[in-house]
């Protein structure tokens, strides 16, 4: 299962959306160079408030471009970077990957998948009603999160739109993704 990078985004300031860039540089153990969420320990405000010494399992946020099409069919206008992701992908079922999956991005970078993004109320501040489209419940009542996945940088490198993403699944048994 291979896919592609369709956009890359970063922001050195706290804001919900992130501007698209020609490239981003992933730094091993830290995240996206110059991005407000880069670091060894947590940088997301809600996580810092709980315990600022927690390891940063959310160094890189990836989201599948197919989600934009899905919510677009319901009247929402969402583009790359709008939901705060660093890497927008196509052709990969990100939400179906198991924890520990390695994503080889471009020529050098390797991102290890740590879990699901836990969508927050800021999504409704961006577009009213959008939160209900990216988090809900399945027929069994289990919470389903669709707002992308999070990862840590194992090997750094430059990432650009058009780069290939190669998926390497971990050894079985696979652990399904949970929120991080």
């Amino acid at each position: 299962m291979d896919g592609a990078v369709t956009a890359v985004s970063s922001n050195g300031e706290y804001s919900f959306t992130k501007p698209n860039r020609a490239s981003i540089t992933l730094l091993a153990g830290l995240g996206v160079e110059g991005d407000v969420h880069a670091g060894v320990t947590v940088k997301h405000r809600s996580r810092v408030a709980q315990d600022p010494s927690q390891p940063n399992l959310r160094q890189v946020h990836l989201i599948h471009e197919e989600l934009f099409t899905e919510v677009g069919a319901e009247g929402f206008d969402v583009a790359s970077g709008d939901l705060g992701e660093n890497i927008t992908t196509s052709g990969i079922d990100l939400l179906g990957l198991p924890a520990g999956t390695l994503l080889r991005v471009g020529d050098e970078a390797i991102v290890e998948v740590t879990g699901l993004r836990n969508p927050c109320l800021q999504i409704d501040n961006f577009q009213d009603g959008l939160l209900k489209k990216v988090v809900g419940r399945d027929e069994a009542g289990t919470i389903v999160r669709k707002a992308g996945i999070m990862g840590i940088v194992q090997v750094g490198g430059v990432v650009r739109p058009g780069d290939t993403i190669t998926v390497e699944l971990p050894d079985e048994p696979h652990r399904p993704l949970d929120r991080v």
Side-chain angles (χ1 to χ4, degrees), residues 119-154:
C120 64
L121 288 175
Q122 288 182 332
I123 292 175
D124 267 350
N125 293 338
F126 172 68
Q127 286 185 38
D128 190 42
L130 183 57
L131 181 60
K132 287 183 179 178
K133 302 302 176 190
V134 298
V135 65
R137 294 191 182 270
D138 64 14
E139 303 81 32
T142 305
I143 294 175
V144 176
R145 294 172 178 86
K146 298 181 183 180
I149 63 171
M150 307 305 280
I152 56 174
V153 181
Q154 295 292 342

Side-chain angles (χ1 to χ4, degrees), residues 9-11 15-19 35 37 44 60-63 68 78-88 117 123 126 147 150:
S9 311
S10 67
N11 199 341
S15 71
F16 183 70
T17 61
K18 294 186 179 188
D35 192 80
H37 294 113
H44 287 76
V60 181
H61 177 198
L62 299 95
I63 202 164
F68 305 153
V78 182
S80 297
D82 282 352
L83 298 182
E85 73 277 6
N86 301 111
I87 300 174
T88 307
R117 175 191 184 181
I123 292 175
F126 172 68
M150 307 305 280

Side-chain angles (χ1 to χ4, degrees), residues 51-111:
D51 177 4
S53 68
Q54 294 177 73
N56 188 1
L57 302 178
R58 300 164 56 104
Q59 295 174 358
V60 181
H61 177 198
L62 299 95
I63 202 164
H64 49 299
E65 185 176 70
E66 293 84 357
L67 178 64
F68 305 153
T69 303
E70 180 183 325
V71 299
E74 299 196 39
F76 295 94
D77 183 18
V78 182
S80 297
D82 282 352
L83 298 182
E85 73 277 6
N86 301 111
I87 300 174
T88 307
T89 70
S90 69
I92 298 174
D93 177 13
L94 294 179
L95 305 177
L97 297 174
T101 296
L102 297 180
L103 301 174
R104 295 186 177 275
V105 187
D107 294 333
E108 303 170 293
I110 300 175
V111 175

